Amino acid sequence: MKIVSAANLKKYYGTEPNLTKALDGVSLEIEAGEFAAIVGSSGSGKTTLLNMLGALDRPDSGTVTIDGSELTAMNEEERTVFRRRKIGFVFQNYNLVPILSVYENIVLPLELDGQPPQADWISQVIDALGLTEKADAMPNTLSGGQQQRVAIARAARPSLLLADEPTGNLDSKTGQDVMRLMLETSRQYQQTILLITHNDQIARMADRVFHLEDGRIRL
């Protein structure tokens, strides 16, 4: 079953002669449960594509369908609710709320959605990511690897996980450990992962790799 389907996505900035084609007719499909990676040089359109698939931005043309719902047909409020319920994000800079504890950061998406945290499930995720002893800690007391594990735990519920250079701020060993934990957690909770990376070693861990160059998928 396809969980991600993008058809002929285009996103242009500026006008001629200074027109930038961030996405220039990108189409791709990702199956449920798949781990896919997008690789490409800086400026190739990777982050723009991730923002389209994550309902953070709209394409100039083309369609994005996630888990059977067409994002491009939704208004902003509908997209916000859909994003909160269906899509988890892991960023290079962790994006934790500094005034909230580890536990509070993890349950924040549920609380924003008006759902009571399920104590057993939260405890299971925290334990799986080795954060039990850090549940009450504040983000500024954690290492980079620990902060990224909190971000993974926070994103463990949605069916689609989008990761933007999640190991970019980590040393090689910590980055490998974080990727291993992210993959283990995604399999445990039946998540699909789409990751963008410059790291060929990380990309080789994926089931499938898309190469993006000048706003286009290269086969």
Side-chain angles (χ1 to χ4, degrees):
M1 182 181 109
K2 295 178 181 63
I3 192 169
V4 175
S5 180
N8 200 30
L9 295 182
K10 295 183 179 181
K11 186 70 173 181
Y12 296 171
Y13 296 99
T15 57
E16 295 289 4
N18 300 311
L19 183 67
T20 298
K21 297 181 178 182
L23 296 179
D24 193 24
V26 169
S27 298
L28 59 82
E29 293 181 338
I30 300 170
E31 299 291 328
E34 189 173 14
F35 171 28
I38 299 174
V39 299
S41 60
S42 179
S44 62
K46 301 188 304 298
T47 296
T48 301
L49 177 56
L50 204 73
N51 288 343
M52 299 296 165
L53 300 179
L56 294 170
D57 198 3
R58 289 181 180 273
D60 294 332
S61 62
T63 60
V64 176
T65 302
I66 304 293
D67 204 15
S69 297
E70 187 180 332
L71 301 185
T72 41
M74 298 179 183
N75 61 36
E76 288 304 317
E77 182 177 355
E78 291 170 335
R79 284 154 55 86
T80 298
V81 172
F82 183 88
R83 184 169 60 240
R84 194 165 58 224
R85 293 178 177 174
K86 292 288 188 177
I87 305 172
F89 295 90
V90 178
F91 297 101
Q92 180 175 340
N93 293 320
Y94 322 129
N95 284 18
L96 303 182
V97 181
I99 62 172
L100 299 181
S101 69
V102 165
Y103 177 85
E104 290 167 336
N105 266 282
I106 292 170
V107 302
L108 181 61
L110 293 170
E111 293 180 339
L112 289 174
D113 205 29
Q115 299 184 40
Q118 299 175 348
D120 290 346
W121 181 83
I122 296 296
S123 177
Q124 184 182 55
V125 173
I126 289 175
D127 182 63
L129 287 165
L131 295 167
T132 302
E133 295 182 358
K134 299 290 185 179
D136 297 322
M138 304 303 287
N140 65 355
T141 68
L142 305 178
S143 69
Q146 289 170 333
Q147 290 187 63
Q148 197 60 294
R149 280 188 274 158
V150 176
I152 294 168
R154 184 176 58 187
R157 185 175 60 102
S159 55
L160 175 64
L161 175 61
L162 301 180
D164 188 352
E165 298 281 3
T167 64
N169 283 339
L170 305 174
D171 62 73
S172 179
K173 181 182 183 306
T174 303
Q176 290 288 331
D177 289 343
V178 163
M179 281 302 305
R180 177 179 54 80
L181 286 167
M182 187 161 68
L183 288 171
E184 289 176 358
T185 305
S186 70
R187 286 169 184 146
Q188 184 172 355
Y189 299 109
Q190 291 82 52
Q191 284 186 305
T192 303
I193 297 178
L194 179 60
L195 171 145
I196 63 175
T197 183
H198 288 94
N199 189 317
D200 289 336
Q201 190 174 10
I202 296 296
R204 283 195 293 269
M205 299 172 70
D207 302 318
R208 188 155 50 117
V209 178
F210 297 96
H211 296 273
L212 195 62
E213 182 180 337
D214 298 328
R216 295 184 176 183
I217 297 287
R218 304 296 184 188
L219 301 178

